[in-house]
Structure formats: C-alpha cells, structure tokens
Amino acid sequence: MTPADVIASVRVLTNDNDPVDYRYEDVTILDCVNRALRRMATLRPDLFVTTSELTCVAGVEQEVPNYGRVVQVFGVKDAGAVVETSREHMDAYFPSWRAAAAGTAVNWMRHSRNPSKFFVYPPASSGQVLDVEYSTVDAVYDTNTPIPLAAEYLPSLVDITAAEVEWADDEYVLTPRAEGFYNRAVQALAAQAQTRQNMDTEAGGGAPAIVD
C-alpha cells in the first residue's frame, strides 16, 4: 500500500476521477494522506509500532525517537528482561530510587504525562542499550513510499483522507459528508481493535520452561 493507492481510491470515493478536470491536485490529496495517517496513529497507535534499539542517556528518564509513544521495553540488549512497574510503586516503596547507583535496568515505568518518555531503574549509565517497542509515524510520506499497514486498513485510511480533503473545501454541503467518512473510519478502527483484542492475546499459556 502506498499513498498513490490511497489517492486513487479517494478520487473514486469523492467522484473526482476525471483527469482532465480534477478538483484536487495529487499533491493536495497527498498532504491529506499524511494528515490522515497522523489521525490514525492517534486513534490506533498499535498500528504503527516498531521495535528498535534505544541508546540510553545517563539517568532515570529516557525518550523514544520522533515523539513516538512507548509501547513496551523488552530488555537490555544482550542481558536480562526489564519488567514494567509504576512510578507510584517505586516512590512508595523506594523513595530514593532516582538517586540509586547506575546499573543494568531491571524495571521500567511509563511517564504519565508524556507518552514519548519512560523511566528506568536503576538509573542508566550513558550508552546502555534497550530493546524498545514504540509507535511512530514517518515524518512525511511521498507518493510511492510504502505505508506499513495491512491491506485491511486501507478503507479506513481512504475514508479519513477523503474527510481531510473535503474538510479543506469551502463548500458547506461537503462538511456532513466528510464527517460521515470520518465516523465510518473511526467505527471500523474500533471494531478492528476489538477483534485484535479478542484474537491476539499474551495472556494464554502456562508457566515458562526455564532452560539452564
């Protein structure tokens, strides 16, 4: 799937498919595709996850790139797992944890007011590398850049893009139609999220087998 595919589908949906007399230039719709992707990332950040190595700065507070949203910290590279806990628990049971000696991370905590940031304990030394999963959208997609979404999400992306296109139009009559496109996409994304919750779970299975 590329923005070119989305643009073609949006032209059909908005009845703007006469190349002799387009109402909207490709570059205009492309801009709407990029805005639509950001709306989708807000609605469903789980669709835009990536896993990569994050090099820590010294201290307890770390941040993923590109203003992404932290999903999971799996562990220290070539070392042990890092278990999620909460800052409230750490503050209650170990108030001085921020001032502890630097070491290999064993716990991580979400930042309640900044989804791009998280805390680690013990405080990291500069250069410690974590395996981190986070959600982010590339800065700008051009016409032929592959969009990392499954084909099942193309209709929702087309609907939101069509809404963006028609919201930008000055004709009052287009606003209700734009809202219809957008609401249809939101409902579909919510339904797909419920299906994923029902089908894709980490809660199954028994105790792990530990290999010495």
Side-chain angles (χ1 to χ4, degrees):
M1 182 196 313
T2 68
D5 300 319
V6 179
I7 290 169
S9 296
V10 167
R11 289 200 182 283
V12 173
L13 188 61
T14 61
N15 197 29
D16 185 27
N17 48 15
D18 180 358
V20 177
D21 189 26
Y22 281 151
R23 296 199 310 277
Y24 308 107
E25 298 295 331
D26 280 358
V27 67
T28 300
I29 305 179
L30 178 61
D31 182 59
C32 292
V33 173
N34 279 288
R35 291 205 302 272
L37 284 166
R38 280 151 185 75
R39 287 189 187 274
M40 285 186 72
T42 300
L43 294 166
R44 291 286 306 277
D46 58 298
L47 299 181
F48 299 89
V49 293
T50 184
T51 302
S52 66
E53 295 178 354
L54 176 72
T55 301
C56 294
V57 298
V60 299
E61 188 174 288
Q62 310 298 325
E63 184 172 8
V64 297
N66 302 325
Y67 303 100
R69 175 181 289 272
V70 178
V71 176
Q72 181 73 33
V73 178
F74 292 110
V76 179
K77 182 182 179 183
D78 300 327
V82 179
V83 178
E84 182 175 4
T85 184
S86 70
R87 185 176 54 80
E88 288 77 9
H89 277 96
M90 291 296 293
D91 290 345
Y93 293 105
F94 186 16
S96 61
W97 66 274
R98 293 170 178 268
T104 301
V106 295
N107 288 117
W108 75 280
M109 297 142 272
R110 298 179 190 274
H111 193 303
S112 60
R113 293 179 181 81
N114 190 331
S116 297
K117 295 183 177 182
F118 63 99
F119 304 103
V120 293
Y121 170 77
S125 55
S126 179
Q128 183 173 164
V129 179
L130 303 174
D131 294 320
V132 177
E133 184 180 54
Y134 60 95
S135 173
T136 187
V137 178
D138 284 352
V140 177
Y141 286 87
D142 63 30
T143 305
N144 296 309
T145 303
I147 299 172
L149 284 175
E152 66 188 281
Y153 296 105
L154 175 61
S156 295
L157 178 54
V158 169
D159 277 343
I160 297 177
T161 304
E164 290 284 352
V165 167
E166 299 206 333
W167 272 328
D169 200 297
D170 289 335
E171 294 184 38
Y172 175 78
V173 70
L174 295 181
T175 299
R177 189 164 73 155
E179 292 174 351
F181 290 148
Y182 183 76
N183 290 337
R184 181 168 66 180
V186 170
Q187 291 168 6
L189 291 170
Q192 288 159 331
Q194 185 62 51
T195 298
R196 185 168 181 174
Q197 181 178 342
N198 291 339
M199 300 297 294
D200 303 332
T201 176
E202 296 185 9
I210 307 301
V211 179
D212 294 330

